[in-house]
Amino acid sequence: MTLRQMCTESPRFSDVSYLAFKKEIGALEIHEMEYYFLDILKQKIKVSNACNSTVAYLIGITDELPKNSLRYKGGTIPDIDLDNQRDYRDEGKEYLKATYGADMVASIGTYQLMYAKGAIRNVGRSLGKPLDLVNRMTNLVPDTVQGINWHVDKALETVEELAQMEKTDPEAREILKFARKLDGVLFARSKHAAGIVISPRKIAEIAPVRTDDEGNAVLEFDGNETESLGMLKIDLLGLKTLDIIQKTIEFINRRHNRNITVKDIPFDDPATYKLIASGNLMGIFQLEGPGISGVCRSFKPKNVLDVSMISAVYRPGPIKFIPSLLAVKAGRDPELEPHSKRFPVLKDILSETYGYFVYQEQIQKVAEVLAGFNDSEADNFRRVIAKKKVKEMAEQMVKFAAGAKKNGVFEEESEILVSEIESFSSYCFNKSHSVAYSLLSVITAWLKAHYPAEFYAANIIYELSSIDKVIEFIVEAQKYGIIIQPPDVNTSRDIFTVVDDTTIRYGLSGITEVGASASEPIIKERERNGPYKSITDFLYRLNPKTNVVRNMIKAGCFDLMASRAQLFYAIRHEGETPVCYIDDLMDMVKHFKEKEWAPLSFDSEWIQLPSVGEYSTNILMAMEKEVTHLWLTSHPILIYQSEIAEYKSRYSDASVGIMAEHKLFKNKNGLWFRLEGVDRKFFIFQKQFNELQKKGGIKIYADKLIIVHTRPFDAEQGAYAANGIYFFEDKIKGVSEKVRWNIPLNNDGLRILQQNKHVCSMISKTNPLDYMLFLKFQGMRFSATACPGYLSKIPT
């Protein structure tokens, strides 16, 4: 069946404009591009309909109805970005190689140029100039603004202090002399994170190609150059959010015995928009972060289009309109007068965005309505302005002014309008793209609103490479009554799993030195032959490495079988020579397997574990933190409740909490930070900051329980400067595994001695006056002291 037939027979055919479809399918057939759409359909890939394609919608590779007509003037190859789950991105790339040939597919190359900052830094270091001088000069160069880098001469024209250094300081003058020569020079090459090209013939016959470290072909041209060579350019994107959505749905279906898919998630659910309006947006696609979550609280979106507007307006271009847009929405006077009021002819174009420019389509529509451009000319006008192509911009300005003048707009007014469009258009969304991504925002919000435990578990799994982010999710989950339990050898899977509405179980593969390679056989054996009945049973069936067992004990995997203190006495420690329980058991396992004897059943321990008390909560937490990077048994705030209360009683200005986020000042002589659950901003300035930095660098502050003494800094902004800062976490360090076993010779003591008599290798009287006994246990790494008698020194 041809692509045209598939489209005309589609049940969606009545949803689209026939004229738009006719124009698009004709262009595709003329340029023999039908296979492009059919291949995407064959791979079962869903795409974003940013280009407003009727064909993509009709054959089902996108579910987004075209909002406007496809702007296509011919002569160029259509470009569709493919958003894949990250887990399947490599699979998609391999499919392209297998389909078109490995020598016809390559990644797009990228290049990095050296500008003022880099040139000054590299020259200064190469010449061996004083580091403080080099840093001072580098910091004087302004930071990149909206992707525009600073050249050396431009920086000297703008920054008077830097120009003065060139005149008065010979070393600075020498650095700037050579920096000018390196300014704009190519200094590094890489490959585009997502860009791939497919060539009509072997790429090496058309353009130079190199091989990266993984053996993949990389084109020695960037994206703009590849299009001029007639190659098909694809952005094969790996979107983590898609993986999180899929994993959340898997958890939901498994625990609730359902079979829902993404298509079952509604876009008109009140609870979803209530969550978005609350600002509780950690993990919500595109809406995460203090700035945009604040906009959501003020805007209070009611539907997908509202979410789309928030997402689009929170961009470097239109972001300055946000306070005014919210004021107009609320019926107040705005700070910036709406464009539609200053230019009444734009009223209809800007009505849905409260009179302000938000979407790229609005730029195109202005060019059509005001300057008389056709759709292709308007799209080109938008592209030229967005990419700031200076020569073409001048031409477009003349053309726009001439067209606008015919519609009664003076040249001065049209220049002002184009200038404002230019300032906003570099970083703004087109509406199709914004709506498509906002669907993902609503989907993630629906999952969080209705299945929070599954949602948090999925996010934690995909953030395991960023411990700070994992901790943020765990702390927020705990706020809403969801706890993360330590891993368990009989119930944990390789990754985090959801036990019930309020409980998430830590995964085995997240334990240091366990990982997927050790967790997989543990789970498979459990599924084949049932749960592990004792530590002996576990060791006998798995024969694992000692370091794996040690870290599983520290994480709490065997807490339902025995205490961690008991189990640690069964393991020989570094530097100790006596045979230990686990070594004995390993020898027995090896012997039984060599003899091929029938497997044994260990419902209880082979050698009874000692009756010792469990470690303190501090030690258990330290163990967990060491091997999972998380606090699972408890939390520092709970551990130090009495100390925190004492501090607060002595210092009324004290704030206590976990450091949730922090950011260095641009000059790197201070720090801004926020405490979890504390509605204040804190600042540490130069002197105190330098003292703290000597303790180990800025990383030390992440995820730390601290107490801050403050003074008001900016009352209107709720900002406070730190007078003093104290770190609690130093008290949760180290794991003491040495415990004396003091056994009184009463009924309980006699019972303990009797139970363990068969494993005693030595009993001796060591203190005749107190009648104390020293006992050493066979295969154990510890000793015990028995005290005969009650309170009397007379033996009984």
Side-chain angles (χ1 to χ4, degrees):
M1 185 181 292
T2 65
L3 182 63
R4 180 184 287 266
Q5 287 175 310
M6 291 180 66
C7 291
T8 55
E9 294 177 13
S10 168
R12 297 176 168 183
F13 193 68
S14 60
D15 296 344
V16 302
S17 162
Y18 176 70
L19 290 177
F21 164 71
K22 185 178 178 182
K23 178 181 178 181
E24 182 182 349
I25 195 68
L28 293 175
E29 289 171 345
I30 289 171
H31 292 279
E32 298 180 345
M33 291 300 299
E34 300 102 315
Y35 73 90
Y36 183 63
F37 286 81
L38 293 174
D39 271 3
I40 294 172
L41 178 65
K42 183 180 178 181
Q43 293 181 67
K44 298 180 181 179
I45 292 174
K46 289 288 186 179
V47 302
S48 165
N49 201 9
C51 59
N52 287 300
S53 167
T54 59
V55 172
Y57 175 74
L58 291 173
I59 66 174
I61 62 174
T62 183
D63 296 322
E64 299 157 29
L65 186 67
K67 299 290 187 294
N68 298 289
S69 296
L70 178 70
R71 290 177 169 84
Y72 179 69
K73 62 181 180 181
T76 59
I77 299 174
D79 182 7
I80 298 179
D81 293 348
L82 306 179
D83 285 337
N84 294 280
Q85 292 176 224
R86 289 194 311 179
D87 293 347
Y88 298 117
R89 182 182 178 275
D90 290 341
E91 188 178 316
K93 191 171 181 179
E94 290 306 313
Y95 171 85
L96 294 177
K97 289 182 181 179
T99 303
Y100 302 105
D103 51 2
M104 317 278 270
V105 178
S107 294
I108 296 173
T110 59
Y111 302 98
Q112 289 177 272
L113 304 181
M114 195 180 301
Y115 294 100
K117 273 185 182 288
I120 290 171
R121 185 183 298 110
N122 290 327
V123 167
R125 289 174 179 171
S126 299
L127 294 177
K129 300 300 182 184
L131 188 59
D132 57 344
L133 172 65
V134 176
N135 288 339
R136 183 183 168 198
M137 293 176 68
T138 303
N139 290 333
L140 285 172
V141 177
D143 291 329
T144 300
V145 179
Q146 292 191 354
I148 301 174
N149 291 284
W150 287 78
H151 292 279
V152 173
D153 289 335
K154 181 67 175 176
L156 287 167
E157 291 174 12
T158 308
V159 184
E160 186 176 342
E161 185 179 348
L162 189 63
Q164 193 65 29
M165 289 178 72
E166 184 182 35
K167 294 176 183 176
T168 60
D169 189 330
E171 290 190 318
R173 191 180 308 121
E174 186 180 8
I175 290 172
L176 291 167
K177 172 187 172 183
F178 289 105
R180 281 191 178 91
K181 296 181 183 296
L182 293 179
D183 193 358
V185 169
L186 175 70
F187 82 99
R189 65 180 184 178
S190 184
K191 65 177 180 180
H192 195 282
I196 294 171
V197 292
I198 302 174
S199 173
R201 63 178 191 268
K202 291 182 180 180
I203 293 178
E205 297 176 358
I206 302 174
V209 179
R210 62 183 172 86
T211 303
D212 65 12
D213 294 338
E214 298 172 353
N216 299 311
V218 181
L219 201 66
E220 291 281 28
F221 288 146
D222 64 16
N224 293 328
E225 294 167 322
T226 57
E227 289 182 350
S228 65
L229 294 171
M231 298 184 189
L232 175 64
K233 183 166 71 73
I234 295 177
D235 278 342
L236 194 62
L237 304 166
L239 196 60
K240 180 173 65 178
T241 298
L242 297 177
D243 296 282
I244 291 171
I245 290 170
Q246 184 60 37
K247 183 60 67 178
T248 305
I249 290 174
E250 284 178 17
F251 284 153
I252 294 167
N253 290 339
R254 184 186 303 161
R255 187 164 77 88
H256 298 277
N257 195 26
R258 299 186 61 184
N259 192 30
I260 67 170
T261 67
V262 173
K263 291 182 180 180
D264 298 316
I265 296 176
F267 294 107
D268 57 354
D269 172 55
T272 299
Y273 297 102
K274 183 179 179 181
L275 175 94
I276 295 174
S278 73
N280 173 30
L281 300 176
M282 185 182 295
I284 304 304
F285 184 63
Q286 287 207 321
L287 304 181
E288 191 174 14
I292 196 167
S293 62
V295 176
C296 290
R297 279 193 295 270
S298 301
F299 196 100
K300 293 186 173 26
K302 302 293 183 184
N303 52 52
V304 172
L305 292 179
D306 283 350
V307 174
S308 171
M309 193 185 307
I310 293 170
S311 176
V313 80
Y314 201 80
R315 303 290 149 187
I319 195 170
K320 61 188 175 186
F321 304 140
I322 289 177
S324 300
L325 187 151
L326 291 172
V328 172
K329 182 177 185 291
R332 303 190 307 272
D333 292 332
E335 295 178 11
L336 296 174
E337 195 173 20
H339 298 96
S340 60
K341 191 171 182 181
R342 289 155 51 205
F343 301 95
V345 70
L346 306 180
K347 185 175 180 180
D348 290 341
I349 298 172
L350 304 178
S351 61
E352 67 171 329
T353 53
Y354 300 94
Y356 298 92
F357 283 112
V358 172
Y359 298 118
Q360 289 183 10
E361 285 89 343
Q362 292 172 320
I363 299 174
Q364 296 168 189
K365 201 67 178 175
V366 166
E368 291 176 17
V369 171
L370 206 59
F373 288 15
N374 61 35
D375 59 357
S376 295
E377 290 172 334
D379 187 43
N380 187 51
F381 174 74
R382 188 265 317 157
R383 187 183 300 109
V384 167
I385 289 180
K387 294 189 176 182
K388 296 189 180 299
K389 297 181 177 181
V390 179
K391 183 178 178 181
E392 293 181 50
M393 276 176 61
E395 297 172 356
Q396 291 291 332
M397 285 280 289
V398 173
K399 188 175 180 180
F400 184 92
K405 189 174 182 180
K406 293 179 182 178
N407 286 290
V409 179
F410 294 113
E411 186 173 343
E412 183 179 343
E413 288 180 312
S414 67
E415 285 180 1
I416 293 171
L417 181 58
V418 171
S419 176
E420 293 187 4
I421 290 174
E422 179 188 345
S423 69
F424 123 91
S425 65
S426 295
Y427 292 90
C428 65
F429 273 175
N430 62 62
K431 186 176 181 181
S432 300
H433 179 86
S434 183
V435 170
Y437 270 18
S438 294
L439 294 177
L440 294 181
S441 302
V442 173
I443 288 169
T444 51
W446 183 88
L447 293 169
K448 185 173 184 177
H450 293 279
Y451 297 95
E454 284 82 358
F455 179 80
Y456 283 119
N459 275 276
I460 290 169
I461 287 168
Y462 283 97
E463 294 291 356
L464 282 175
S465 60
S466 172
I467 293 302
D468 289 347
K469 193 69 177 176
V470 168
I471 291 164
E472 284 185 52
F473 275 110
I474 288 176
V475 170
E476 184 178 282
Q478 289 172 339
K479 280 185 182 178
Y480 294 96
I482 299 171
I483 62 170
I484 313 297
Q485 285 187 337
D488 178 75
V489 70
N490 279 327
T491 57
S492 288
R493 301 194 64 79
D494 57 331
I495 58 176
F496 285 72
T497 50
V498 181
V499 179
D500 53 42
D501 289 344
T502 59
T503 310
I504 297 171
R505 177 73 74 178
Y506 196 95
L508 296 176
S509 64
I511 303 170
T512 302
E513 293 193 30
V514 177
S517 60
S519 65
E520 185 178 348
I522 292 172
I523 295 166
K524 284 185 176 179
E525 168 61 25
R526 187 180 73 202
E527 290 173 346
R528 280 195 304 263
N529 299 310
Y532 303 102
K533 299 170 184 176
S534 63
I535 185 72
T536 308
D537 188 38
F538 173 78
L539 296 171
Y540 178 71
R541 288 161 62 180
L542 267 298
N543 195 17
K545 295 180 180 178
T546 304
N547 63 324
V548 170
V549 178
R550 186 189 302 278
N551 283 4
M552 288 180 70
I553 292 172
K554 286 182 177 181
C557 290
F558 306 104
D559 282 1
L560 296 179
M561 297 177 183
S563 72
R564 295 181 215 181
Q566 287 177 304
L567 293 173
F568 262 105
Y569 287 121
I571 299 180
R572 184 172 63 202
H573 289 242
E574 190 175 349
E576 296 179 354
T577 54
V579 175
C580 72
Y581 169 69
I582 285 185
D583 284 340
D584 285 346
L585 188 57
M586 291 297 122
D587 288 341
M588 183 198 75
V589 168
K590 183 179 179 182
H591 186 68
F592 267 67
K593 290 185 176 178
E594 284 177 353
K595 297 294 185 182
E596 297 183 352
W597 290 343
L600 298 177
S601 176
F602 291 103
D603 293 345
S604 58
E605 302 300 345
W606 183 46
I607 299 175
Q608 186 170 341
L609 296 170
S611 300
V612 295
E614 180 60 290
Y615 295 127
S616 66
T617 304
N618 273 24
I619 292 177
L620 295 178
M621 289 172 62
M623 287 178 169
E624 293 162 359
K625 187 74 170 173
E626 178 189 343
V627 298
T628 71
H629 306 289
L630 305 174
W631 289 304
L632 300 173
T633 293
S634 187
H635 193 277
I637 288 180
L638 299 176
I639 294 296
Y640 297 115
Q641 283 186 94
S642 58
E643 291 188 68
I644 290 170
E646 181 186 350
Y647 268 98
K648 287 193 170 182
S649 67
R650 286 161 45 198
Y651 304 102
S652 58
D653 65 344
S655 294
V656 180
I658 298 289
M659 187 174 282
E661 61 176 313
H662 60 270
K663 188 175 182 180
L664 282 171
F665 296 163
K666 284 187 177 180
N667 57 14
K668 295 182 174 57
N669 64 2
L671 177 78
W672 166 89
F673 67 91
R674 181 174 65 82
L675 297 181
E676 192 67 52
V678 179
D679 192 21
R680 286 183 175 184
K681 293 179 181 177
F682 299 102
F683 294 88
I684 302 175
F685 294 104
Q686 189 165 8
K687 183 178 179 181
Q688 185 186 18
F689 175 76
N690 291 341
E691 291 173 359
L692 290 169
Q693 209 174 24
K694 291 175 184 176
K695 294 181 180 180
I698 207 61
K699 279 288 183 184
I700 194 174
Y701 303 118
D703 183 38
K704 303 300 181 186
L705 176 63
I706 63 174
I707 184 164
V708 190
H709 306 293
T710 59
R711 64 181 186 275
F713 176 64
D714 186 344
E716 289 186 8
Q717 296 297 321
Y720 294 79
N723 281 344
I725 183 169
Y726 175 75
F727 293 82
F728 280 99
E729 96 291 344
D730 287 339
K731 295 191 177 183
I732 309 179
K733 278 189 176 176
V735 178
S736 173
E737 296 162 2
K738 297 186 180 298
V739 176
R740 288 182 72 86
W741 191 19
N742 295 306
I743 306 173
L745 198 58
N746 55 22
N747 288 336
D748 288 337
L750 287 169
R751 178 179 55 79
I752 293 170
L753 283 174
Q754 184 64 33
Q755 287 175 346
N756 292 281
K757 185 171 62 175
H758 65 289
V759 292
C760 293
S761 59
M762 183 178 71
I763 302 178
S764 63
K765 186 161 61 175
T766 59
N767 191 330
L769 293 178
D770 290 337
Y771 292 92
M772 298 181 71
L773 298 177
F774 174 79
L775 301 91
K776 196 168 186 66
F777 288 79
Q778 181 181 357
M780 301 295 182
R781 65 167 300 274
F782 64 92
S783 61
T785 302
C787 306
Y790 292 95
L791 300 176
S792 170
K793 292 183 179 180
I794 302 172
T796 58

